[in-house]
Amino acid sequence: MIPPAKLPVARRSLLRASCHLALLAGTGAPALAAPRRHGGGRSAPGTPDLFIGTGGDGHTFPGASLPFGMVQVSPDTDTARWDTCSGYHHGDASLLGFSHTHLSGTGIGDMLDVLVVPARGALRLDPGPLDKPEQGYRLRYAREDARPGYYRVALENGVTSELTATLRTGIQRHAYPAGEGHLLIDLSHLVQDSSDFPPLIDAAALESLDDGTLVGTRRLWRWAKGRQIYFAMQFSRAPARIDFFADDNAPCPPGTRAITGKRLKAVAWFPDAGTAPIVVRTGISAVDVAGARANLATEAAHFDFDAYAKAAQAAWDAELARITVKGGTAAQQTIMATAQYHAALGPTLLSDVDGRTIGLDRQVHTLAQGEAAYSAYSLWDTYRAFHPLQTLIRPAHAATMMADLIRQTQQSPYGPPVWPLQGVETGCMIGWHAVPVMAEGMAKGIPADYAAAWPGIRRRALDFTTPTQDNSLGIPLYDQLGYVPADLLFESVSRTLEYSYDDYAAAKIARAAGAVQDAAHLEKRSGNWRNVFDASVGFARPRLSDGSWTSPYDPVQLGHSSKWRDYTESNGWQATFLNQHDVPGLMAAMGGEAGFEAKLDALFAAPSTLPKGAPPDISGMLGQYAHGNEPSHHVAYLYAWCGAHWKTQAMVRRLLTTMYTDKPDGIIGNDDCGQMSAWFILSALGFYPVDPVSAVYVLGSPLFDEARVSVGAGKELVIEARGQGPDKPYYGKVEWNGQPLDRCWLHHAELIAGGTLVFHMQAEPDKRFASAPAGRPQAAS
């Protein structure tokens, strides 16, 4: 077995390979026609199409996983493009093989651990280029099929490969044609980027154990710097031999049983590969090889692939049954089911079957029975709709995640998690948005020890000696000046706005923990958004350290100079409305209801132009509204605050029907770990949490004739849209449990208790609905 102590501790430089292994041409298999894939309306209505989001900029993957599972075993088509942050992009003509870990919908790539390549013929140890797969081990492919928990593809070398999974193991079945075959296990396979600095892998090891198990590990410095993964792999029948290849593809002597290095590979040879399918079962762990072996032994004790696939399907059937819909078009039903699928892939399990896990302090922790740890919390994105969705349809799972976030807040040297990945805090994006998630859970009565998180939250928000990463730069200046100055820090406007929201959320937890003075300070500081709002121009604007505004100002621009951007993946138009906790204050700053409504109208009507060099994340443009990125997601609902709720109804329906399709490029931007999908789910049901911490949902425009939502404890929420039609986005009459509802919002406590919400849809707006102050969301506080 491979003891972690034998691996080098320090990151070391790595010389690029200077020698090449001679490759023999040809596999003897016939070439395939252009790949035929699902996606684009081929799945049955009401069932997920896993290829939605794999094209365009969705960055999803089509492979097999269980809900919130540790393993995502899926095909990889490329590793060097932004398009392939997930390892896969629809339309790529060849694939590299099948790896066991993937990120869903992110704008940065990582993972792709333990690549398995089912090969025949001459041994090829390098992948070769995407467009010339014959120069390496890449393979053209066709006839892809994917459903939740299962994937199948035909490879040009005659192999048919199938994938399924348990929570912590990946199961592969490879059916070879008659004759020999081999499996390449490539530990050098990983996401690459032009900004990376070598070595991306500084320590790796492989070993063949006496019982035939292949075990290994590697430590990576890609996005999550220093994360380590371990695996244990077993084959349904013993290979004739396993050959090992060290750095630079250097072959190890015959009989070698273990190697260490950086970029390692192993090849399992099967002279009789075609006699029966080869099943490969692989357990992984972030703790150690023993954890990977225990995960494998516990969850994958046999080689019956069909039994695993059947169990995976049953697990997904149960998850997808939490929301059922009737009506709408066939495409809309498919989009809804796929969104539900994508909103249940992560955060991904990190703790092993024995409860051990890696904390953000990089130490091994053992959890109490019933607890679980998770990775890949994309909190800058997911606090907005993904986590509110979980509190509604999975309250028990939400409680498990709340406990996990509290633990991670206690463990991390930086305080509340930001973008934790495999036990490493990446510090990606801005703010510390685990705090709104926890404050929301507290407001909604999700059981957890929220006061236990307060010391870690306080360190981040109020102790300026706490270590910082990019996400939390400038807090002392923000505290002293009341804003982050644009001449001293990048993305200063967005920082001020988002730090204000985190302060608002943190103050709630501080009061619950009895820290009254700190709560008062944070409550006051949550108003710092005002200090970057320039009433003379009506926009959130960069401000310099001397108190002056940058000039000239154009809300379409991303920054006041070429030095850096003043906004995070947005511009002045979008950032101006990035105020979820004090909409009345923002409305007052814009001159009142009429000015606020006019500014919203102008946002959606402005030319959809962006400056040169704008990040691709700013997508899905409707005027200057950008649905493809999260800062805009709540904005269509803001009309409710100024008494023009009928405009919210119209705009939400427009976004539902134009920003999502059932094609591979059917997600208008990165799905961002389910946030884009969660927006669709909640909005299609008919409501959305503009401010999740308030535990209030603002009504929108339901898309389906009927939706049934399991809200836990055996209770059901039924939503009916009577008289529904594509030309009927409006309503003037709403009933809640048989009684007229004269307001445009509902509290979480109402929804979670179950009941029936009825919308009476119509083609013309009823401008009176929720126009009086008592019917607006501000009346909920």
Side-chain angles (χ1 to χ4, degrees):
M1 190 172 295
I2 304 167
K6 289 188 178 180
L7 296 174
V9 175
R11 183 179 180 185
R12 300 173 183 173
S13 62
L14 174 67
L15 296 176
R16 297 281 185 189
S18 58
C19 60
H20 303 274
L21 178 67
L23 300 178
L24 301 178
T27 64
L32 293 180
R36 289 195 297 113
R37 304 177 178 86
H38 283 253
R42 297 193 186 186
S43 65
T47 61
D49 183 339
L50 273 58
F51 292 97
I52 294 176
T54 62
D57 293 333
H59 294 185
T60 64
F61 60 86
S65 179
L66 285 194
F68 309 101
M70 181 183 293
V71 164
Q72 312 83 35
V73 58
S74 188
D76 297 337
T77 63
D78 198 16
T79 62
R81 292 145 53 208
W82 190 66
D83 285 345
T84 54
C85 286
S86 73
Y88 180 97
H89 193 262
H90 189 274
D92 284 353
S94 64
L95 59 78
L96 293 144
F98 310 99
S99 63
H100 288 76
T101 58
H102 295 79
L103 295 171
S104 181
T106 60
I108 302 178
D110 204 326
M111 313 304 284
L112 311 189
D113 296 301
V114 195
L115 183 77
V116 175
V117 186
R120 299 177 65 216
L123 177 62
R124 301 169 187 269
L125 293 173
D126 291 313
L130 176 67
D131 58 343
K132 296 179 181 179
E134 64 277 0
Q135 295 183 11
Y137 63 65
R138 282 181 167 276
L139 294 163
R140 294 182 178 89
Y141 61 106
R143 298 188 297 279
E144 284 184 292
D145 184 25
R147 59 180 183 265
Y150 175 82
Y151 173 88
R152 181 182 65 210
V153 67
L155 305 175
E156 71 171 318
N157 62 5
V159 177
T160 296
S161 295
E162 298 172 279
L163 313 175
T164 190
T166 72
L167 282 173
R168 299 173 178 87
T169 72
I171 313 296
Q172 306 185 33
R173 179 165 66 185
H174 304 289
Y176 282 77
E180 64 78 33
H182 57 274
L183 293 170
L184 168 66
I185 297 90
D186 187 352
L187 284 195
S188 70
H189 174 76
L190 78 167
V191 171
Q192 301 183 38
D193 188 271
S194 59
S195 64
D196 290 334
F197 296 95
L200 295 182
I201 304 171
D202 74 338
L206 283 168
E207 183 177 0
S208 179
L209 305 181
D210 291 340
D211 65 357
T213 304
L214 180 67
V215 299
T217 184
R218 66 176 185 172
R219 186 169 61 208
L220 300 96
W221 300 84
R222 175 64 183 93
W223 182 15
K225 308 298 184 188
R227 75 172 181 90
Q228 190 147 0
I229 192 79
Y230 302 85
F231 78 92
M233 179 182 294
Q234 296 174 341
F235 309 101
S236 56
R237 61 181 186 271
R241 70 180 192 278
I242 296 179
D243 292 338
F244 292 99
F245 296 84
D247 298 341
D248 300 329
N249 292 338
C252 296
T256 297
R257 298 288 300 275
I259 58 170
T260 59
K262 297 180 179 66
R263 305 180 72 87
L264 308 180
K265 299 168 187 177
V267 179
W269 296 93
F270 297 89
D272 60 347
T275 59
I278 300 170
V279 177
V280 184
R281 57 189 189 191
T282 306
I284 66 170
S285 170
V287 178
D288 56 23
V289 166
R293 295 196 71 188
N295 291 342
L296 182 62
T298 302
E299 296 187 3
H302 59 80
F303 287 100
D304 186 344
F305 180 92
D306 293 329
Y308 293 118
K310 184 178 180 180
Q313 179 177 340
W316 276 111
D317 287 347
E319 285 298 325
L320 298 174
R322 295 179 186 274
I323 302 175
T324 59
V325 299
K326 294 179 181 178
T329 66
Q332 288 166 348
Q333 289 191 16
T334 296
I335 295 166
M336 182 67 160
T338 307
Q340 290 174 244
Y341 171 80
H342 284 143
L345 284 172
T348 55
L349 186 64
L350 188 63
S351 49
D352 292 340
V353 291
D354 61 3
R356 292 187 304 152
T357 190
I358 292 291
L360 289 181
D361 55 3
R362 308 300 297 142
Q363 301 300 309
V364 176
H365 299 267
T366 300
L367 306 180
Q369 188 172 2
E371 295 181 337
Y374 292 89
S375 172
Y377 285 99
S378 183
L379 292 159
W380 184 82
D381 309 290
T382 56
Y383 84 86
R384 306 166 197 266
F386 173 88
H387 284 284
L389 175 66
Q390 307 311 315
T391 66
L392 184 65
I393 67 173
R394 298 182 183 90
H397 184 63
T400 301
M401 288 193 289
M402 295 297 170
D404 185 40
L405 289 172
I406 292 168
R407 277 194 307 272
Q408 293 196 37
T409 299
Q410 294 171 316
Q411 295 165 359
S412 174
Y414 307 105
V418 178
W419 221 117
L421 181 58
Q422 295 279 300
V424 176
E425 178 56 80
T426 67
C428 187
M429 307 308 293
I430 60 172
W432 39 99
H433 292 328
V435 178
V437 174
M438 291 184 283
E440 176 198 11
M442 187 176 71
K444 291 180 174 179
I446 303 295
D449 185 5
Y450 296 100
W454 169 243
I457 295 171
R458 190 188 189 284
R459 282 191 294 111
R460 174 70 288 142
L462 299 173
D463 182 353
F464 304 149
T465 66
T466 301
T468 61
Q469 294 176 290
D470 277 0
N471 69 286
S472 55
L473 297 174
I475 297 176
L477 291 167
Y478 166 81
D479 187 83
Q480 176 187 353
L481 299 176
Y483 61 94
V484 178
D487 51 334
L488 300 182
L489 275 174
F490 60 97
E491 301 178 355
S492 63
V493 180
S494 293
R495 288 181 188 276
T496 301
L497 297 170
E498 298 201 34
Y499 291 3
S500 296
Y501 188 69
D502 288 339
D503 281 347
Y504 155 77
K508 306 283 188 184
I509 297 176
R511 286 205 177 275
V516 178
Q517 289 184 333
D518 287 338
H521 181 61
L522 291 168
E523 287 163 354
K524 180 180 179 181
R525 208 170 68 173
S526 72
N528 278 359
W529 65 267
R530 293 183 177 87
N531 299 324
V532 292
F533 184 84
D534 182 359
S536 69
V537 297
F539 287 97
R541 181 177 180 179
R543 196 168 190 175
L544 303 177
S545 54
D546 64 3
S548 63
W549 301 106
T550 61
S551 186
Y553 177 71
D554 180 353
V556 173
Q557 295 299 314
L558 307 176
H560 70 283
S561 73
S562 60
K563 184 178 181 181
W564 55 47
R565 296 171 181 163
D566 296 319
Y567 306 93
T568 302
E569 295 183 4
S570 57
N571 62 15
W573 270 110
Q574 296 136 27
T576 291
F577 293 98
L578 188 57
N579 183 333
Q580 297 166 261
H581 63 294
D582 189 10
V583 180
L586 179 61
M587 186 160 58
M590 290 183 176
E593 296 175 7
F596 187 66
E597 182 178 352
K599 182 68 77 170
L600 284 168
D601 289 345
L603 169 77
F604 288 109
S608 295
T609 55
L610 291 172
K612 183 179 180 181
D617 311 77
I618 307 178
S619 61
M621 301 294 288
L622 180 58
Q624 279 294 314
Y625 172 92
H627 192 74
N629 210 23
E630 282 69 20
S632 290
H633 276 187
H634 65 286
V635 175
Y637 290 87
L638 294 180
Y639 282 111
W641 271 260
C642 60
H645 187 265
W646 65 276
K647 291 186 177 181
T648 283
Q649 297 168 30
M651 190 56 66
V652 168
R653 177 64 66 87
R654 184 175 179 182
L655 295 172
L656 281 167
T657 56
T658 60
M659 297 295 170
Y660 299 82
T661 74
D662 64 342
K663 304 297 190 291
D665 61 353
I667 302 176
I668 204 70
N670 301 161
D671 195 48
D672 285 320
C673 297
Q675 166 61 25
M676 285 285 290
S677 292
W679 187 96
F680 183 90
I681 294 167
L682 289 169
S683 294
L685 291 177
F687 45 78
Y688 188 83
V690 170
D691 170 19
V693 175
S694 72
V696 169
Y697 301 82
V698 179
L699 301 185
S701 181
L703 190 60
F704 298 100
D705 297 353
E706 179 186 278
R708 292 183 174 270
V709 184
S710 173
V711 293
K715 298 176 182 177
E716 184 176 57
L717 171 65
V718 179
I719 302 151
E720 298 179 14
R722 296 180 183 174
Q724 177 69 282
D727 60 342
K728 296 180 178 180
Y730 300 106
Y731 49 85
K733 179 181 177 183
V734 182
E735 295 162 340
W736 173 240
N737 289 332
Q739 298 298 314
L741 187 71
D742 57 0
R743 49 188 164 96
C744 64
W745 56 272
L746 285 165
H747 196 276
H748 180 79
E750 295 174 290
L751 296 179
I752 204 74
T756 301
L757 178 63
V758 179
F759 297 86
H760 295 266
M761 310 305 294
Q762 56 195 46
E764 298 297 325
D766 183 342
K767 299 181 181 180
R768 298 168 301 172
F769 179 76
S771 60
R776 302 177 190 178
Q778 50 264 56
S781 58

